[in-house]
Amino acid sequence: MKYQISQIAEILQLPRVANEAMVIDTLLTDSRSLTYPETTLFFAMRSRRNDGHRYLQSLYDRGVRNFVVEYIPQSMQSLTDVNFLTVSNVTAALQSIASFHRNSFAIPVVGITGSRGKTTVKEWLYNLLQEDYNIVRSPRSYNSQIGVPMSIWEMTGESQLAIFEAGVSQNGEMKSLQKMIRPNVGIITNVGDEHNEGFESLRHKCEEKVQLFDSCDCIIYNGDDELIADVVAQKCGNVDKFAWSRNNREARLYVPSVETSLGGSAITYVYGGEQGEVKIPFTSQYDIENAVHCLAMMLYLQLKPDVIAERMARLVQVGTRLNVIEGVNNCSLIYDNYTADLHSLLPAIEFMERRATSAQSLTVILSDVYHEAMTPDEVYGTMAQLMARKNVHRVIGIGEEIARYSTLFGNSASFYCSTNEFLSAMSPNDFESELILVKGASHFGFGRIVDVLEARQHETVLEVNLDAVVHNYNIYRSLVKPETGVVCMVKASGYGAGSYELAKTLQSQGAAYLAVAAYDEGVDLRKAGITMPIMVLNPRVVNYRMLFDYNLEPEIYSFDILREIINEAQRYGTHNYPVHIKLDTGMHRLGFLEQDIPQIVELLRNQDAIAPRSVFSHLAAADCPDMDDYTRQQFDYFDRCCEQLQQGFDHHILRHVLNSTGITRFPEHQCDMVRLGICLYGIPTMTDGSQSNLRPVSSLHSVILSIKEWPEGTTVGYSRRGMLHRDSRIATIPIGYADGIDRHLGNGNACVFINGHRCPTIGNICMDVCMIDVTDVACQPGDQVEIFGDNIPVVELAEKLDTIPYEILTSISSRVKRVYYRE
């Protein structure tokens, strides 16, 4: 949609702007996502952790000329070719523009809220209804105070139906979302425990969510959910209530039976006195519930039962993840099987752009795409322009339609009519040192392309949730003062998760430092394109030139190391190279003592090759409340040492002593920086529930290779340790002690999670496989197995082995494939 900047100024009730003829068609809140500077309006958002006004000059230098701000930086006040729309609250201004834009349309708008399933229901409705309407919908999970207005901006004159998500995490947020979306039809999927910390109770959360429906004509919901049904009855007045039920024959949509099989589910329903049936290729209760919501919506829109049945049978799982996988020949893969349309292409390319390094060129493998409200010429022309602006070096198009527009994409592009043709024509050797985005419609089967290009083919996968990393980081970021820096520990290859992808994510979040254990870990991060400060906790190295060349800042914990680094730095010709002084305040492991401080000051002041950047120490018992007196003694000792050290220098020396637990328990000692370790990875260090809002970052999954039935009395595995005491079904999964599974977890000492059930190990853990008793579980070869994750916490395995979660995470073998993903 296009507005003149003068129109936007009028919407915001601002004076006329100087350059009022400028046209706006792109709203931008993240400076890293700039694509079309000449038609962009940037909103300088301010938050507790960041300030968009910092990026105004950079954006101006890149061609942006229109900004919504709360103040104009002094250095930019004399500019005459720019429009500054000055408001009291930038976020409120963005929402006001969205509200005005929404009110310009009289089309039906569907608003979806709930704790789970919003994106799935939205995407299924899009696929089910796109033959009847030109649909505009929220990109991915754009359902926040910022995401909703960005979604609404996508409404155009060609839009015939809008589907928007609305998500809230605390009381009072839904009112502004409702004002923007103003849905005609509302769907509430469910109310669960997600984001509970922002609400007094589940009922309070449900009451907040249903505020979305204040102006609705109709609300669709599960009438069997007593909480939702009661809140809707009390809060939604005379709104048409479209409840569906599996128990109540009088419900508007009655679902008397759902029969599941290995191939899917058959849903029998009664609506308007007529019985019908739909079949879906899913069996989980969440998918069935989401499907019934979609069924209710289509019945409300008066689609014919045979049309509904035909379309629902074609539904596919919504892949909301962007998976990052190690590829062949120094390549990296980003696999996005979310949807194949122009709408979702830009976020995927922006994700790729942020993970790019100078060592890899950018490649996009793309299928035919959905047109939505645009013609094929417009869609592929816009795509080609986007690839050029984002410096994509190679485009590979797969599909008969995209191939017809090959001339738009330049000479480096290549095209194939099908995935089979591509796989026949190209091999892994045709790719080298590339960051490859693989994005295609589900029926193209691009998973086969990923299988060919990924470096590791192991069926066992360590999945690393980068959204959880951001979530956990932000929790601890919110616990410290804005001026306090956060040092993120990525040693031991990011606690087994892999340091590079974590480092890229933390760098983009604004962490102050990364900390690694050995200098070669830091070198690898620098080679991968990490530019933020890196602290090396074990700096004893042979090649100090590498340390200095890669700008890695060493920890100093002894006079031998101090003198050695001074000598090497002088030989190298450095000046005031930053180092970090470690104190032993009670851990009794490494570090200087209080009586060493005068000599440290003397050594450092008599040279200028290195300079103390920070002074720090480790707490020995921060997670032991019964030893708080000892911890306080450490704080006192640390403070005395810091005071003595600081007196010897004119520049400020940063201080940091708190670890993950200390950040929570001793906020008064956060100093200049804090160090975030195991809690960054979602592992709680306290048992009092104070860290229950952490999200696990790593989950280990495998698959069932085979299932065999054995009679009572059969033995399983080496040394015949697994004795069957009943007729049993035994599954074999491809993970063993060579992958990092401790042998002590065999013989029923641990369980895995399969299709909603805990299943015990049977027999000894082997090198490459282990056996699982699945007698009581409906499963088949190929089904997923969780070793640890959401259902089997890594803390549980650590307790069984009488160890700590650190050991479990760092023991996962390098041969296990790592897959990094964001929703």
Side-chain angles (χ1 to χ4, degrees), residues 305-340:
D306 58 336
V307 172
I308 294 173
E310 187 271 331
R311 292 181 185 177
M312 292 194 73
R314 291 190 272 119
L315 287 175
V316 296
Q317 199 67 262
V318 176
T320 59
R321 292 181 176 183
L322 281 164
N323 290 330
V324 183
I325 308 166
E326 181 186 357
V328 297
N329 305 327
N330 196 37
C331 291
S332 299
L333 307 177
I334 300 174
Y335 182 32
D336 179 11
N337 62 346
Y338 175 58
T339 57

Side-chain angles (χ1 to χ4, degrees), residues 148-175:
V148 166
M150 302 298 280
S151 302
I152 290 172
W153 181 257
E154 298 297 322
M155 298 176 76
T156 70
E158 289 75 33
S159 303
Q160 298 172 321
L161 175 69
I163 308 175
F164 298 129
E165 298 180 40
V168 293
S169 58
Q170 61 186 22
N171 183 45
E173 290 186 334
M174 189 59 85
K175 184 176 181 180

Side-chain angles (χ1 to χ4, degrees), residues 286-497:
Y286 287 144
D287 286 332
I288 291 169
E289 187 170 308
N290 291 335
V292 177
H293 283 122
C294 294
L295 171 63
M297 183 69 208
M298 288 189 290
L299 291 169
Y300 177 79
L301 293 175
Q302 301 181 5
L303 272 72
K304 296 180 178 180
D306 58 336
V307 172
I308 294 173
E310 187 271 331
R311 292 181 185 177
M312 292 194 73
R314 291 190 272 119
L315 287 175
V316 296
Q317 199 67 262
V318 176
T320 59
R321 292 181 176 183
L322 281 164
N323 290 330
V324 183
I325 308 166
E326 181 186 357
V328 297
N329 305 327
N330 196 37
C331 291
S332 299
L333 307 177
I334 300 174
Y335 182 32
D336 179 11
N337 62 346
Y338 175 58
T339 57
D341 53 33
L342 183 60
H343 198 58
S344 64
L345 179 60
L346 179 58
I349 289 183
E350 288 174 348
F351 180 82
M352 175 177 68
E353 187 180 35
R354 292 174 192 172
R355 308 203 100 60
T357 70
S358 58
Q360 292 179 319
S361 60
L362 303 184
T363 296
V364 174
I365 301 176
L366 192 66
S367 75
D368 291 346
V369 299
Y370 298 125
H371 302 158
E372 300 180 285
M374 302 171 70
T375 66
D377 298 58
E378 292 172 326
V379 167
Y380 293 107
T382 303
M383 284 171 48
Q385 184 184 44
L386 177 61
M387 303 292 183
R389 284 180 176 263
K390 293 298 185 181
N391 296 314
V392 174
H393 296 86
R394 178 158 66 145
V395 176
I396 298 173
I398 298 178
E400 294 182 357
E401 185 175 76
I402 194 172
R404 289 198 292 271
Y405 293 89
S406 59
T407 56
L408 299 175
F409 291 88
N411 296 330
S412 63
S414 57
F415 295 86
Y416 304 87
C417 289
S418 67
T419 303
N420 286 337
E421 183 181 338
F422 166 80
L423 292 173
S424 298
M426 302 194 75
S427 74
N429 293 330
D430 294 308
F431 298 87
E432 185 170 0
S433 299
E434 298 172 54
L435 178 57
I436 307 168
L437 172 64
V438 182
K439 182 174 176 61
S442 59
H443 63 273
F444 279 88
F446 274 14
R448 291 187 293 153
I449 296 176
V450 174
D451 290 341
V452 169
L453 296 181
E454 65 180 339
R456 289 177 172 84
Q457 301 294 328
H458 204 313
E459 297 96 335
T460 298
V461 176
L462 185 72
E463 293 189 341
V464 182
N465 185 344
L466 299 178
D467 287 327
V469 173
V470 173
H471 171 84
N472 298 336
Y473 173 85
N474 285 339
I475 285 175
Y476 280 87
R477 176 70 264 183
S478 70
L479 296 177
V480 299
K481 295 175 290 188
E483 62 270 22
T484 301
V486 179
V487 180
C488 293
M489 314 301 289
V490 293
K491 60 183 182 177
S493 189
Y495 291 68

Side-chain angles (χ1 to χ4, degrees), residues 597-718:
I597 301 298
Q599 188 177 354
I600 296 172
V601 172
E602 182 181 2
L603 280 170
L604 289 172
R605 284 181 62 88
N606 288 332
Q607 55 79 54
D608 64 359
I610 67 172
R613 174 64 174 152
S614 82
V615 56
F616 71 104
S617 187
H618 285 282
L619 299 178
D623 55 349
C624 302
D626 59 323
M627 300 183 190
D628 281 355
D629 287 345
Y630 187 83
T631 301
R632 293 189 180 94
Q633 291 175 21
Q634 282 195 264
F635 288 138
D636 292 341
Y637 191 102
F638 179 71
D639 289 342
R640 292 198 307 272
C641 293
C642 290
E643 292 289 342
Q644 292 183 52
L645 183 65
Q646 183 64 70
Q647 288 174 8
F649 299 91
D650 294 330
H651 73 278
H652 178 64
I653 302 172
L654 300 174
R655 305 179 185 189
H656 49 108
V657 68
L658 295 184
N659 56 12
S660 296
T661 308
I663 296 170
T664 304
R665 300 197 60 234
F666 304 102
E668 67 275 17
H669 294 283
Q670 60 187 252
C671 303
D672 299 294
M673 295 195 296
V674 295
R675 297 188 305 276
L676 182 55
I678 192 67
C679 289
L680 177 64
Y681 302 89
I683 307 300
T685 57
M686 301 294 294
T687 58
D688 61 0
S690 61
Q691 298 166 331
S692 61
N693 54 351
L694 296 176
R695 292 172 56 186
V697 166
S698 297
S699 57
L700 185 62
H701 297 94
S702 194
V703 297
I704 296 176
L705 287 180
S706 71
I707 298 176
K708 292 187 176 181
E709 298 187 4
W710 299 108
E712 179 182 358
T714 302
T715 58
V716 176
Y718 284 118

